[in-house]
């Protein structure tokens, strides 16, 4: 069975989704979904271990050799992203039952789990595959299910948010498809590895340039790079709490992966950064996005929206690292993909707990939280510290690497930008903490969230510190993957 | 000529304010693109486009119109110019992209040189069915098709979760407007519907030899049922196909497809390697393709009918139609 690990990774949640629909009982569906995603998590752990020990794993779907058939190709980069996605999906799912019971109408709950698994499988499929068109197919699965998941929010505005995201997301996906079409036209292949080899011969054509443009813009829409981030704040704000925690931690990260894969593996570093002024476009956008989104988030009355804007800012850090086009910058980006997933997953789970008890997550609901829900409050504080980038947290590790990468290039203004971004984070996190500590609660007396929400929340918060101190796994993988990508990233 | 008609229709769609006419034009657009694909010798694509673009999607759009009303409300957008600029920009980028494109129909084009020749030359030997398109969709790139079925399934679930009403409200449902009084419609459709169902089955099982397959068959099948429910009322149609049964069917179709992969995996080959299904590779491929096409057909038909039911139930509740 070990030989089948790459496909099992995707097919487990993929086939569990229709089974969930047949199970009908929400509790049963939840339990089943949880078991399956835990299994998927185990698979991704094994995969990473195998790739570390034995190098790239290739799996031929349908038994057809690439480029004729579709190939799953697991290397260090996607094994790492698979682990991020499946661990976050499983941890969030752990608390889903409690929160979903309260936030989603009874007859829609089974559909929630089915859609959740579809989205999960879609994201895993995008990451695992070595075929450019297959990326698009699984992108559609994950996008469609995300729109539906967002629309499940009780607030009527969730519908509008989902619709906005649907339009923007579809444009993004279509751009990616057009790009892939152009690439196929010029090379006659869809296999990524094969594309990477054959693209050199045609790289001076304008058709490949157009493909490059469409793919970069399309993925930037999906990963919410400023100014293409407009769908994100509403989507995160009005979606059910668990959906926000899940997509905030995974969906944009997968889009980042797609961008990295196309830029470094398929087009190659020398094409993306040498031939075209990509760095000159990405870096200013990342900086403006980072600073403006951080500033906007300070004055948000809805805490979910505040964290959503903070996510746009964090995407800024990630794209900044990619834009540097150096191994160290890429390492910082990859680190932040994992680290930001842990912090935002944790923070949004804390908000899920607040929403569960207080009925909402406006700044008013946070008043006196330190007394009414101390465990949730402290989780939020610690998660916030990680978001700011205080030493001993994961936030510090990725920012440290980003600063190192900037210094290596001698780009001192970038160092200042990163520091200013952290100061802005102090302001917006601080405001919530202040309200929680000094505010008078509406109803005094302890009203802590149930353990089913606290356990996943504290797992993530603990992870923020564990991986902040013991950085062997994250830095080891990120450094190796970055070095490998910079060295062409294709072949074996 | 066809291309010119396509462009005219596209402009007409953008300018018309009467949404009913827009839907009809969209149907025409679908039919025109289908003819266009035939002219390009892509019969399978044309068939799909005819079934989807000219068949089921106008039908579903009409159902939506029943909910929303026929005319577009005037909205003045401040972003009109920005939108226009973006469209021009994207169009220009597309034009640039075509500049270095290999000449149309050129034999030397990379798309004709690299992967495709093997499909054309070897597929009969390897898969033993004459329709190369089916070979590529169902076997060489069978995993993509599995993904597409999941896309349909997800879309169905999405519509359900948006439009569903809870069980309690459902009981209050009033009588359903049917067109039973129209004698001609009734008689014609009574002749037409069985023929459609049989044609759907033909398309379903004939995909290996001619154009067709699960997607088209599912859509045609669904169209027959939808036609039936428009004419004889939703209640009567629901007595034939119950909604929760449809949900299970949609799930089962996807599972059927996936289970082929699981079976091949358990018998020691890779996921979706149909050669594992029989001693002789040709037979194995054949069995695999028939079963997965059946899965596709079931899911597609079930989802299409579900979407229509969800729309029309909503319509009854809102008292429109």
């Amino acid at each position: 069975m070990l030989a089948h690990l790459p496909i099992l990774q995707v097919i487990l949640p993929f086939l569990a989704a229709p089974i969930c629909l047949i199970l009908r009982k929400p509790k049963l569906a939840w339990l089943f979904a949880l078991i399956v995603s835990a299994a998927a998590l185990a698979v991704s752990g094994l995969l990473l271990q195998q790739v570390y020990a034995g190098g790239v794993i290739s799996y031929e779907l349908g038994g057809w050799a690439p480029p004729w058939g579709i190939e799953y190709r697991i290397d260090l980069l996607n094994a790492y992203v698979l682990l991020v996605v499946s661990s976050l999906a499983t941890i969030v799912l752990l608390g889903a039952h409690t929160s979903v019971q309260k936030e989603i109408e009874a007859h829609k709950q089974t559909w929630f789990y089915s859609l959740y698994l579809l989205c999960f499988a879609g994201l895993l499929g995008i990451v695992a595959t070595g075929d450019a068109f297959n990326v698009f197919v699984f992108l559609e699965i994950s996008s469609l299910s995300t729109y539906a998941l967002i629309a499940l929010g009780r607030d009527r505005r969730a519908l509008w948010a989902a619709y906005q995201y649907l339009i923007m997301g579809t444009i993004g996906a279509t751009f990616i498809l057009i790009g892939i079409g152009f690439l196929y036209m010029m090379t006659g292949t869809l296999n990524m590895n094969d594309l990477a080899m054959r693209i050199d011969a045609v790289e001076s054509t304008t058709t490949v340039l157009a493909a490059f443009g469409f793919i970069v813009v399309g993925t930037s829409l999906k990963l919410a790079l400023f100014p293409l981030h407009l769908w994100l704040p509403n989507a995160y704000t009005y979606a059910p709490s668990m959906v926000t925690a899940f997509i905030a931690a995974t969906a944009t990260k997968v889009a980042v992966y797609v961008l990295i894969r196309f830029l470094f593996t398929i087009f190659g570093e020398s094409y993306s950064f040498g031939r075209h002024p990509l760095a000159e476009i990405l870096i200013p956008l990342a900086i403006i996005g980072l600073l403006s989104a951080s500033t906007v988030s300070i004055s948000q009355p809805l805490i979910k929206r505040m964290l959503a804007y903070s996510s746009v800012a964090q995407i800024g850090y990630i794209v900044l690292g990619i834009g540097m086009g150096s191994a160290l910058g890429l390492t910082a980006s990859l680190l932040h993909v994992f680290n930001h997933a842990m912090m935002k997953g944790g923070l949004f789970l804390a908000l899920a707990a607040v929403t569960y008890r207080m009925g909402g997550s406006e700044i008013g609901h946070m008043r006196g939280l330190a007394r009414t829900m101390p465990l949730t409050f402290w989780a939020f504080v610690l998660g916030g510290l990680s978001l700011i980038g205080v030493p001993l947290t994961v936030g510090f590790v990725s920012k440290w690497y980003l600063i190192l990468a900037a210094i290596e290039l001698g780009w001192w203004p970038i160092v200042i930008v990163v520091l200013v971004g952290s100061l802005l984070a102090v302001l917006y996190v601080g405001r919530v903490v202040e309200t929680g500590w000094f505010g008078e609660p509406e109803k005094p007396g302890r009203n802590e969230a149930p353990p089913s929400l606290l356990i996943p929340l504290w797992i993530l918060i603990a992870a923020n510190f564990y991986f902040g101190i013991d950085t062997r796994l994250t830095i080891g993988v990120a450094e190796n993957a970055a070095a490998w990508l910079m060295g062409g990233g294709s072949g074996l | 000529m066809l291309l010119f008609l396509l462009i005219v229709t596209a402009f007409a769609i953008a300018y018309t304010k009467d949404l009913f006419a827009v839907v009809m034009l969209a149907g025409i657009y679908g039919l025109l693109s289908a003819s266009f694909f035939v002219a390009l010798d892509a019969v399978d694509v044309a068939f799909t486009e005819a079934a989807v673009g000219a068949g089921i999607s106008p039908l579903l759009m009409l159902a939506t119109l029943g909910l929303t009303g026929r005319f577009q409300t005037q909205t003045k957008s401040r972003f009109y110019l920005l939108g226009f600029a973006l469209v021009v920009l994207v169009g220009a980028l597309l034009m640039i992209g075509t500049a270095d494109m290999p000449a149309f129909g050129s034999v030397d084009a990379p798309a004709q040189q690299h992967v495709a020749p093997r499909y054309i030359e070897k597929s009969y030997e390897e898969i033993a069915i004459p329709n190369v398109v089916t070979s590529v969709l169902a076997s060489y790139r069978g995993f993509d098709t599995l993904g597409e079925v999941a896309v349909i399934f997800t879309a169905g679930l999405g519509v359900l979760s948006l439009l569903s009403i809870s069980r309690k409200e459902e009981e209050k449902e009033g009588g359903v407007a049917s067109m039973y009084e129209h004698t001609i419609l009734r008689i014609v459709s009574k002749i037409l519907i069985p023929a459609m169902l049989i044609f759907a089955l033909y398309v379903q099982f004939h995909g290996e030899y001619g154009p067709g397959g699960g997607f088209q068959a599912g859509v045609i099948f669904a169209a027959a049922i939808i036609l039936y429910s428009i004419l004889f009322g939703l209640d009567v149609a629901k007595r034939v196909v119950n909604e929760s049964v449809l949900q299970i069917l949609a799930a089962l179709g996807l599972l059927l497809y996936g289970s082929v992969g699981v079976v091949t995996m358990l018998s020691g080959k890779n996921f979706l390697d149909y050669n594992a299904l029989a001693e002789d590779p040709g037979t194995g491929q054949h069995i695999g393709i028939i079963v997965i096409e059946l899965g596709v057909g079931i899911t597609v038909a079930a989802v299409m009918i579900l979407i229509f039911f969800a729309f029309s139930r909503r319509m009854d509740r809102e008292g429109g139609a």
Side-chain angles (χ1 to χ4, degrees):
Chain A
M1 230 41 196
L2 273 182
H4 294 297
L5 280 179
I7 188 64
L8 280 177
Q9 175 76 87
V10 178
I11 218 70
L12 279 173
F14 185 96
L15 290 180
I19 296 177
C20 254
L21 187 69
I22 297 174
L23 287 177
R24 314 212 76 156
K25 297 254 179 311
K27 186 142 198 186
L28 207 61
W30 167 70
L31 205 62
F32 181 67
L34 185 64
I35 293 170
V36 168
S37 60
L41 174 59
V43 170
S44 63
L46 283 173
L47 270 177
L48 185 63
Q49 203 182 18
Q50 278 201 349
V51 172
Y52 234 124
V56 178
I57 306 171
S58 165
Y59 185 88
E60 296 167 1
L61 282 151
W64 301 112
W68 295 278
I70 295 167
E71 178 195 23
Y72 264 20
R73 198 175 179 82
I74 313 291
D75 55 31
L76 210 47
L77 174 64
N78 54 2
Y80 171 73
V81 181
L82 286 173
L83 185 68
V84 175
V85 173
S86 50
S87 50
L88 264 300
T90 310
I91 295 172
V92 171
L93 203 50
L94 207 57
H97 184 61
T98 316
S99 173
V100 162
Q101 244 180 345
K102 204 152 189 171
E103 287 187 30
I104 294 174
E105 291 164 69
H107 70 288
K108 292 182 178 175
Q109 288 174 9
T110 319
W111 296 337
F112 168 85
Y113 295 112
S114 198
L115 287 166
Y116 188 97
L117 285 175
L118 281 168
C119 185
F120 181 26
L123 293 172
L124 291 174
I126 297 171
V127 179
T129 189
D131 187 281
F133 185 73
N134 202 235
V135 167
F136 173 74
V137 173
F138 279 81
L139 184 69
E140 284 291 279
I141 299 177
S142 70
S143 310
L144 277 178
S145 48
T146 311
Y147 309 142
L149 282 171
I150 292 170
L152 283 177
R154 276 231 160 135
D155 195 313
R156 290 288 287 183
R157 281 168 292 185
L159 273 179
W160 176 239
Y163 178 73
Q164 253 183 336
Y165 184 24
L166 185 143
I167 299 292
M168 301 286 267
T170 310
I171 294 175
T174 312
F175 273 29
I176 296 173
L177 182 64
I178 294 174
I180 294 170
F182 275 150
L183 287 183
Y184 178 72
M185 198 154 38
M186 295 313 292
T187 60
T189 184
L190 290 167
N191 182 279
M192 289 181 181
N193 223 7
D194 203 25
L195 267 171
M197 280 185 275
R198 297 174 64 91
I199 216 166
D200 291 342
V202 287
E203 68 171 20
S204 54
T205 58
T206 54
T207 311
V208 171
L209 174 64
F212 183 71
F214 274 111
I215 288 171
V216 170
V217 175
T219 44
S220 299
L221 250 168
K222 294 300 279 187
L223 64 82
L225 174 65
F226 177 90
L228 303 173
H229 67 283
L230 294 170
W231 57 269
L232 186 142
N234 277 337
Y236 282 16
T237 308
Y238 299 116
S241 304
M242 284 300 152
V243 175
T244 312
F246 176 52
I247 59 173
T250 56
T252 46
K253 310 297 172 293
V254 168
V256 167
Y257 162 81
V258 174
L259 184 66
I260 293 178
R261 185 56 95 197
F262 270 97
L263 289 186
F264 291 92
T265 303
I266 295 180
F267 289 106
E269 185 249 339
S270 59
Y271 180 83
S272 308
F273 292 94
R275 195 179 265 273
H276 301 301
L278 190 64
E280 285 79 355
I281 298 170
L282 287 185
I283 290 179
L285 289 179
I287 292 175
I288 301 171
L290 196 167
L291 295 179
S292 65
S294 298
T295 314
V296 170
S297 62
I298 295 173
S299 57
Q300 294 302 320
L302 280 166
I303 309 302
K304 257 176 133 181
R305 188 183 283 276
M306 178 195 98
L307 289 181
Y309 273 109
S310 151
S311 280
V312 177
Q314 304 298 317
I315 290 294
Y317 289 113
I318 295 175
V319 174
L320 197 58
I322 298 174
M324 288 180 184
S326 69
L328 208 50
L330 201 53
T331 308
S333 291
L334 292 176
L335 278 173
H336 208 49
V337 163
F338 191 15
N339 295 346
H340 180 237
M342 283 189 286
M343 357 173 165
K344 271 298 150 55
L347 286 171
F348 276 119
L349 279 182
L351 288 188
V354 175
T355 311
Y356 184 79
R357 280 293 182 224
M358 306 290 175
S361 64
E362 283 168 46
I363 188 89
H365 293 113
M366 310 295 284
R367 227 172 274 143
L369 208 65
R371 270 157 289 168
T372 51
M373 303 174 72
L375 286 172
T376 311
F377 175 75
W378 284 109
F380 190 92
V381 173
L382 295 176
L385 288 180
S386 183
L387 191 63
I388 295 166
V390 174
L392 298 184
T393 64
V394 289
F396 174 73
V397 178
S398 34
K399 281 188 183 160
W400 176 249
Y401 266 76
L402 198 60
I403 290 177
L404 284 184
I407 294 175
E408 183 195 50
L409 294 169
W411 294 356
W412 290 98
I414 304 272
V415 178
I416 297 170
V417 167
V418 173
L419 293 178
V420 171
S422 301
L423 285 177
L424 291 170
V426 172
L427 286 178
Y428 62 73
V429 172
R431 190 177 58 117
V432 179
V433 174
E434 190 196 330
T435 321
W437 187 256
F438 293 109
E440 275 306 312
E442 270 174 38
K443 277 180 289 179
R446 265 185 80 125
N447 191 15
E448 189 55 79
S452 54
L453 283 173
L454 286 176
I455 291 169
L457 170 59
W458 277 94
I459 292 178
L460 281 178
I461 298 300
N464 268 296
F465 282 83
Y466 178 79
F467 290 108
I469 298 164
D470 178 5
T471 53
R472 277 172 304 178
L473 174 76
T474 49
I475 292 184
V477 174
E479 263 179 349
N480 281 321
W484 183 75
L485 281 170
M486 294 302 289
S490 57
L492 291 164
Chain B
M1 182 64 207
L2 277 171
L3 213 52
F4 174 72
L5 280 176
L6 269 180
I7 294 170
V8 172
T9 322
F11 270 107
I13 291 175
Y15 275 102
T16 313
K17 290 278 178 284
D18 180 351
L19 293 177
F20 183 74
V22 168
V23 172
M24 289 301 134
L25 283 170
I28 293 173
Y29 187 86
L31 200 59
L32 281 173
S33 7
S35 332
F36 186 60
F37 291 139
V38 173
L40 290 177
D41 267 346
V43 257
D44 280 85
V45 186
F47 197 4
T48 316
E49 181 63 39
V52 176
I56 197 100
S57 63
L59 208 54
L60 290 178
M61 283 196 262
L62 280 182
T64 320
L65 281 193
L67 281 175
T68 56
R70 184 169 166 174
F71 290 95
Q72 196 175 356
T73 44
Q74 287 290 336
T75 42
K76 272 232 160 82
S77 171
R78 288 176 293 130
F79 300 113
Y80 185 77
L81 270 179
L82 185 71
F84 188 72
L86 275 178
V87 169
V88 170
L89 190 74
V90 173
L93 194 55
L94 276 172
M95 296 287 195
I96 292 174
T98 55
D100 275 345
M101 217 165 83
F104 174 74
S106 154
V107 194
D108 307 321
Q112 314 288 352
Q113 289 291 326
H114 184 46
V115 175
R118 155 131 177 209
Y119 292 147
I120 296 167
E121 285 156 19
K122 288 250 185 95
S123 77
Y124 193 71
E125 194 182 309
E126 289 175 335
I127 298 175
I129 58 169
N131 187 347
V132 183
V133 177
T134 307
S135 302
V136 175
L137 287 184
S139 189
Y140 288 114
R141 299 191 66 89
F143 189 62
D144 271 345
T145 309
L146 177 61
E148 293 295 349
V149 179
V151 170
I152 308 261
F153 179 75
T154 315
L157 260 184
V159 172
L160 271 186
S161 52
L162 286 183
L163 293 182
S164 83
I165 37 180
S166 62
R167 299 249 153 69
K168 252 184 235 156
E169 287 178 77
E170 208 174 319
E171 283 162 18
K172 284 186 247 158
E173 213 173 276
V176 180
S178 77
M179 299 190 186
Y180 196 77
E181 298 77 34
H182 300 267
T183 321
I184 298 177
L185 274 182
R186 200 173 72 226
I187 306 291
V188 171
S189 66
K190 269 195 175 162
I191 303 168
L192 213 58
I193 288 171
M196 278 173 87
L197 292 177
I198 292 173
F199 183 60
L201 290 177
Y202 166 78
V203 173
Q204 172 78 54
F205 293 108
H206 208 256
E208 305 97 272
Y209 302 102
F215 271 102
Q216 296 93 328
V219 170
I220 296 171
F221 196 88
I225 303 281
I226 291 173
L227 190 62
Y228 182 80
S229 50
I230 290 178
L231 286 168
F232 297 94
L234 214 54
D235 287 345
V236 189
K238 274 193 185 157
R239 246 176 273 149
V240 186
V241 269
N242 176 290
E243 207 164 317
S244 49
V245 173
L246 280 174
Q247 277 187 38
I248 292 176
L249 276 178
L252 281 181
L254 184 57
L255 278 177
L256 184 65
Y257 197 146
S259 63
V260 175
V262 176
V263 169
T264 59
M265 222 157 65
L266 290 178
S267 36
K269 296 262 189 177
N270 276 1
F271 192 75
L272 290 177
D273 186 343
Y274 311 134
N275 288 352
L277 297 176
E279 290 283 308
D280 167 47
T283 322
Q285 291 287 340
H286 220 113
I287 297 174
I289 290 176
I290 287 182
V291 177
I292 63 132
E293 290 280 8
L294 191 63
V296 175
I298 292 173
T299 296
V300 170
V303 167
M304 293 302 150
I305 300 171
L306 265 179
I307 292 179
F308 177 77
F309 278 5
F311 271 122
S312 41
R313 193 180 41 191
R314 190 82 181 195
M315 207 140 57
D316 295 337
R317 202 171 64 113
E318 316 256 315

